[in-house]
Amino acid sequence: MALPDAWVVDEAKELQARLPAAQNDVAERRRQKQAPYAPTAPRLAGFGAGGILLKMTSPILLPSFLTHWLDSCGPQTLSRIRAAAEACNEKVAWPNFLINGSNGSSALRVGTDCSGLEAPVHALRSMGLLHKHVFSCEINPAPRTMIEANCLPEEAFMDDVIVSSAGAVPFVHLYVAGFSCKPFSMLHNKTKLLEEKEAEIFKAVLRRIGKLRPPCFVLENVKGIQRCMEKVQSMLQDLGYIVAVQLMDPSSLGEPLLRPRFYFIGLRTDVAAFLAGASRHILQHIWTELGQANEPAPLAQGCSADDLFLHLPRERDVWDKLRTTVGQADQFVCDLSQSLGRNRERTDGKVPTITPGSHLILGSEGRALLPREALLLHAFPLHKMTFPSCISATDLENMGGNTMHCQVVGIAMVIALLLVNWELPAAHQSLPAAVAASAPSAPLALEAAKRLEEHLRKRFGMQPPTWSKAAALLLCYDLGKCLVGREAFEKPDRREWKPES
């Protein structure tokens, strides 16, 4: 698919004719409480008393071929997933729960952390899957405002996952989080990975899963996380989940965007419909079946740095050197936000991975990628979304670089739902406390316990290995910081350590 300028199009007359009808449609949706895409009432910018009323703008009007693409990709994707599941060697049942709910549940209950623009919610809407958006958590003001305007959760809206993960949230069948990629990004030199400060967000997601105990979850992060993949999978498995991982990229679906991301699908062991090996095979099979070859982008006229109005010397230098050294330079796309040795460019008509600071130049179009086009490339239904007037172009750029691809996360969520046995009553409730207590989490407990070593040595005069056992038990049973089976540690000798001391 070529990248048209959705806001300067030849179909101006068609758009102008549709404007009154579109405005009436938005007004009608706002009047109806069951409206799926517009808020039922004006929302406060601060989501609470004292906030200011958001000023809403009209929806973005797109040419008909783009609205058709956005409206049809969800149902088509769902149909293809079902066909791929039926062709799998393992017998994968298509649960009625995906459509009608079961066991007294009126709909699929979904909650998200690091919510951003709520790509998971937009994906479920696109596919027409009945669901209840239970909770969101987003700390940045701009995406919070977009959530308030377009997909406000029904039961809880939190702002800091690190803080809120210590408390309780309503039960959900499906939990989704795209935790911070900064510790794992390949652009982050000399990163300490899970020891980075930003990795606390991932650990907060672990705490949320440990407390919430959803039947299934979907987590997303960059390719760089493979450098600590074994540790990440171990930490997730220690919570009592089967974990299947797949590298997924919208370009494999024929989309004109590269965004390779690892998706972690977790299935609670007591409700998983398949063993670990079969779950991984089904995930890989369905994703492979959905892949297709891309058609090359059409040739177009080249452009110079002057044609693109590039004024920064570094950007002009990078562009001019790329035009003379890269093959098919007249049709390539490149990101000028990085230096020549670190920039990303493509000559196959696809857009490189979009980041919050990207400055993407479309050589075939002779212009830069517009901020709202970044959202369009991620399959967001711009024609059904409300953009408050306080949202700036910079906000859109940042959100477009931090979001999941709607179509890809939709696929990951449906596959996760296919791998759960929804006929079990336990699939519609959190794991009982008695079962949760036996989930093996000894590595997490030991890691936390190490931080108490010096204190315990000074206070009680304890020596290894007693201190590690005592500290872990103290954390798990007195403070409730993590889940650990009692069988993981031997009970300390009370002659060496007395809890009442």
Side-chain angles (χ1 to χ4, degrees), residues 155 159 167 473 483:
E155 299 184 25
D159 59 4
L473 289 169
L483 299 171

Side-chain angles (χ1 to χ4, degrees), residues 155-413:
E155 299 184 25
F157 192 10
M158 299 158 287
D159 59 4
D160 189 339
V161 66
I162 294 178
V163 174
S164 65
S165 62
V169 292
F171 169 76
V172 294
H173 299 103
L174 172 63
Y175 170 73
V176 187
F179 54 93
S180 175
C181 66
K182 290 181 181 179
F184 315 107
S185 172
M186 299 300 291
L187 297 177
H188 187 171
N189 292 325
K190 300 179 181 179
T191 178
K192 298 178 183 178
L193 298 172
L194 291 170
E195 301 303 318
E196 291 282 332
K197 182 178 180 180
E198 286 282 343
E200 290 300 317
I201 297 177
F202 168 63
K203 295 172 184 177
V205 168
L206 288 178
R207 288 196 296 273
R208 179 83 80 200
I209 295 173
K211 284 180 172 291
L212 182 60
R213 308 296 297 166
C216 58
F217 64 74
V218 172
L219 307 181
E220 177 254 22
N221 213 267
V222 296
K223 288 179 66 176
I225 201 172
Q226 61 188 334
R227 291 174 290 179
C228 55
M229 180 68 78
E230 184 175 348
K231 177 66 174 176
V232 169
Q233 286 186 268
S234 176
M235 295 170 81
L236 292 170
Q237 291 167 352
D238 284 345
L239 295 174
Y241 285 81
I242 291 172
V243 180
V245 184
Q246 179 67 42
L247 184 65
M248 304 169 80
D249 191 335
S251 66
S252 299
L253 305 173
E255 299 301 316
L257 173 69
L258 276 85
R259 197 170 185 80
R261 293 290 186 267
F262 277 110
Y263 279 81
F264 299 80
I265 293 179
L267 312 167
R268 212 173 66 201
T269 53
D270 65 316
V271 295
F274 301 92
L275 297 177
S279 297
R280 298 187 187 102
H281 176 264
I282 293 170
L283 170 60
Q284 184 178 18
H285 168 81
I286 293 177
W287 176 252
T288 302
E289 287 292 309
L290 295 176
Q292 64 181 32
N294 293 311
E295 296 180 1
L299 292 174
Q301 296 296 319
C303 51
S304 66
D306 290 332
D307 295 330
L308 294 168
F309 301 101
L310 299 178
H311 61 283
L312 295 178
R314 180 182 59 80
E315 292 182 345
R316 293 179 64 88
D317 181 60
V318 170
W319 180 260
D320 289 337
K321 287 181 178 179
L322 286 174
R323 291 185 71 230
T324 58
T325 58
V326 177
Q328 299 175 306
D330 288 346
Q331 59 173 314
F332 78 101
V333 182
C334 77
D335 186 352
L336 297 184
S337 66
Q338 301 293 327
S339 59
L340 187 61
R342 291 165 61 88
N343 74 297
R344 300 176 292 276
E345 71 276 349
R346 303 291 302 187
T347 61
D348 55 2
K350 301 175 185 177
V351 177
T353 299
I354 300 173
T355 63
S358 288
H359 184 189
L360 288 159
I361 301 298
L362 313 177
S364 60
E365 302 291 328
R367 62 176 177 83
L369 185 76
L370 300 178
R372 287 175 177 174
E373 286 178 320
L375 302 185
L376 185 65
L377 284 168
H378 288 93
F380 279 94
L382 303 188
H383 60 307
K384 295 180 178 178
M385 295 173 65
T386 298
F387 289 81
S389 56
C390 59
I391 299 296
S392 67
T394 301
D395 292 332
L396 293 176
E397 288 179 349
N398 291 332
M399 290 186 286
N402 277 324
T403 186
M404 302 182 199
H405 190 279
C406 291
Q407 195 174 358
V408 176
V409 71
I411 293 169
M413 290 189 297

Side-chain angles (χ1 to χ4, degrees), residues 99-118:
I99 306 298
N100 302 318
S102 63
N103 285 31
S105 175
S106 60
L108 170 69
R109 294 174 60 88
V110 180
T112 68
D113 276 327
C114 307
S115 304
L117 279 171
E118 283 294 8

